Amino acid sequence: QVQLVESGGGLVQAGGSLRLSCVASGRTFRSYATGWFRRAPGKEREFVAAISWSGGSTYYADSVKGRFTISRDNAKNTVYLQMNSLKPEDTAVYYCAADIRLNTVAAGTGDYWGQGTQVTVSS
């Protein structure tokens, strides 16, 4: 029902910024909660941020709180992750996820996932 495509990754120096986008298709996207996860080489998938379908509730991992901002524009079927003050440890493949339930998205068990976009932060 929902297809997700991430973009915006790239190579950036420590302290720099990137904005990731996740464009969704599907008639029911407006009612879906979404989130961002990341997987670094040799590490397990890690929760980054999540947002309710209305945008009224947001959640962040402690490791990114104060540096990353998740937002959405339902008119454009797009979820964003603004990443500031990037650190080398932020290097990972970033994935967006979506599901009807916010808690399911945050738990990493959402039904829909994108293909990922690589973020590399150099020191």
Side-chain angles (χ1 to χ4, degrees):
Q1 189 69 37
V2 176
Q3 295 79 45
L4 307 172
V5 179
E6 303 97 332
S7 64
L11 175 64
V12 64
Q13 293 184 358
S17 299
L18 286 172
R19 187 178 74 164
L20 306 184
S21 298
C22 176
V23 180
S25 61
R27 290 183 174 181
T28 62
F29 176 72
R30 290 179 179 177
S31 65
Y32 278 69
T34 59
W36 289 93
F37 292 77
R38 65 188 183 187
R39 180 181 284 110
K43 299 180 65 176
E44 296 182 355
R45 186 179 62 189
E46 177 186 25
F47 169 76
V48 176
I51 187 168
S52 62
W53 68 268
S54 67
S57 298
T58 58
Y59 302 92
Y60 298 93
D62 288 341
S63 60
V64 306
K65 193 172 299 181
R67 299 188 297 121
F68 291 9
T69 302
I70 188 170
S71 62
R72 67 188 299 163
D73 185 342
N74 287 340
K76 297 181 178 180
N77 296 325
T78 302
V79 178
Y80 303 98
L81 185 68
Q82 178 67 47
M83 305 186 296
N84 299 325
S85 301
L86 284 163
K87 305 174 181 179
E89 50 263 45
D90 295 319
T91 296
V93 178
Y94 284 71
Y95 301 88
C96 62
D99 203 281
I100 291 292
R101 301 174 62 192
L102 177 60
N103 61 340
T104 301
V105 172
T109 56
D111 286 340
Y112 305 101
W113 292 85
Q115 296 179 347
T117 184
Q118 176 71 48
V119 172
T120 303
V121 184
S122 65
S123 59

